[in-house]
Amino acid sequence: MANSNTTYQQRAYEFIKAKITNHGFKAGQYITDAKIAEELSISRTPVREAFHRLENESLLVYEARRGWKVYTLSLEDINEIFDIKEVVEGMAARRAAECQDKELRAELRNTFQEMCEAAEANDIDTWIRADLQFHDIIFAMANNERARRIIQNLNDQWNRVRIGFTTIQSRVNRSCDEHKAIMDGILAGDGEEAERQTYAHFKQVREELIHLLVNMVLPFVEEGV
């Protein structure tokens, strides 16, 4: 049974992480352990421990004499994230093409259908959940949990940017076509094609995202997003 401090640390960790990834805290905002502890009615020790966990996940950064700050993403950060996503998710798609598990294959099809229906209804929240599930299924088919955790952390880092980016209807519709190409490669057992389509998908997302940031976001903020 977990001790109370571990439980409080997890509670603080999940609370702060949700605030960071879903715009509850703004990029570059300073937060204090005292404020979080007061809000959660717990001591400051588990909050500080949660801060260190989030620092290790690149969601918080500590600045001497100023305290803890929500990490801001630069264009270099975005490029590093997508460098890794293209390679790791492409590898997962290639290996997923070897999977013959009927339930996982059916789940991939069903989740893709859910993505298409959400896109047609302009239901962005449902689309984002289905998109995450689609890629999680690919990692399950590839039987690589470690790779999934790496990508989950990277997704957490750019999630607050992704939410705004995904609200662009044309991007959601194009993404459905891109995901269909990935799925078709996997279900056909063509690992090379599945990997190629995955790489192409993330390359396209990266290019469109950077164009949006350079032209419509970064000129109006002080230090990144």
Side-chain angles (χ1 to χ4, degrees):
M1 182 176 179
N3 61 45
S4 59
N5 191 62
T6 301
T7 302
Y8 290 147
Q9 180 200 124
Q10 185 65 23
R11 182 181 169 196
Y13 167 82
E14 292 174 357
F15 174 81
I16 301 163
K17 183 174 182 178
K19 288 274 194 178
I20 292 172
T21 57
N22 294 296
H23 292 279
F25 293 140
K26 296 179 181 179
Q29 178 179 344
Y30 288 91
I31 60 177
T32 66
D33 54 2
K35 181 77 164 108
I36 300 295
E38 180 182 4
E39 194 163 352
L40 295 179
S41 299
I42 61 177
S43 72
R44 294 166 64 182
T45 298
V47 177
R48 287 194 293 267
E49 292 169 348
F51 280 179
H52 285 294
R53 285 180 64 185
L54 291 162
E55 181 182 33
N56 289 335
E57 296 177 9
S58 298
L59 294 174
L60 284 179
V61 61
Y62 182 77
E63 293 185 351
R65 295 184 296 277
R66 300 201 67 180
W68 293 95
K69 183 177 77 170
V70 177
Y71 193 84
T72 56
L73 291 172
S74 65
L75 288 181
E76 182 179 1
D77 293 321
I78 294 293
N79 276 313
E80 286 180 358
I81 287 170
F82 277 88
D83 282 345
I84 298 169
K85 282 176 67 65
E86 288 170 4
V87 173
V88 175
E89 299 219 35
M91 173 276 296
R94 174 166 45 84
R95 294 189 177 178
E98 302 171 5
C99 177
Q100 296 302 314
D101 186 299
K102 292 182 180 179
E103 291 185 5
L104 287 174
R105 291 168 67 86
E107 193 175 349
L108 189 68
R109 292 190 192 94
N110 293 338
T111 302
F112 171 73
Q113 184 61 36
E114 185 179 348
M115 290 174 66
C116 293
E117 292 171 357
E120 186 175 349
N122 198 26
D123 184 347
I124 299 302
D125 290 340
T126 298
W127 190 92
I128 289 175
R129 287 195 297 271
D131 178 43
L132 290 172
Q133 184 178 0
F134 181 92
H135 291 280
D136 278 349
I137 294 167
I138 291 175
F139 282 114
M141 295 176 76
N143 193 29
N144 195 324
E145 175 61 20
R146 189 181 302 275
R148 188 195 69 80
R149 290 198 301 269
I150 290 170
I151 294 302
Q152 182 179 21
N153 174 246
L154 294 176
N155 287 341
D156 287 340
Q157 291 177 37
W158 83 288
N159 188 65
R160 62 178 180 264
V161 180
R162 179 186 183 194
I163 291 173
F165 179 64
T166 307
T167 59
I168 303 172
Q169 181 66 29
S170 59
R171 164 69 339 235
V172 171
N173 291 333
R174 286 195 302 278
S175 191
C176 283
D177 293 337
E178 293 161 13
H179 281 76
K180 183 179 187 304
I182 295 169
M183 179 184 69
D184 288 347
I186 290 172
L187 297 181
D190 189 340
E192 289 187 7
E193 177 66 6
E195 184 174 29
R196 188 180 73 82
Q197 292 295 343
T198 300
Y199 181 86
H201 164 60
F202 284 112
K203 182 175 183 292
Q204 187 66 31
V205 171
R206 183 210 298 242
E207 290 176 355
E208 292 183 26
L209 176 60
I210 288 178
H211 178 79
L212 176 68
L213 292 175
V214 168
N215 292 282
M216 299 182 66
V217 179
L218 292 177
F220 307 102
V221 297
E222 292 184 3
E223 55 170 321
V225 293

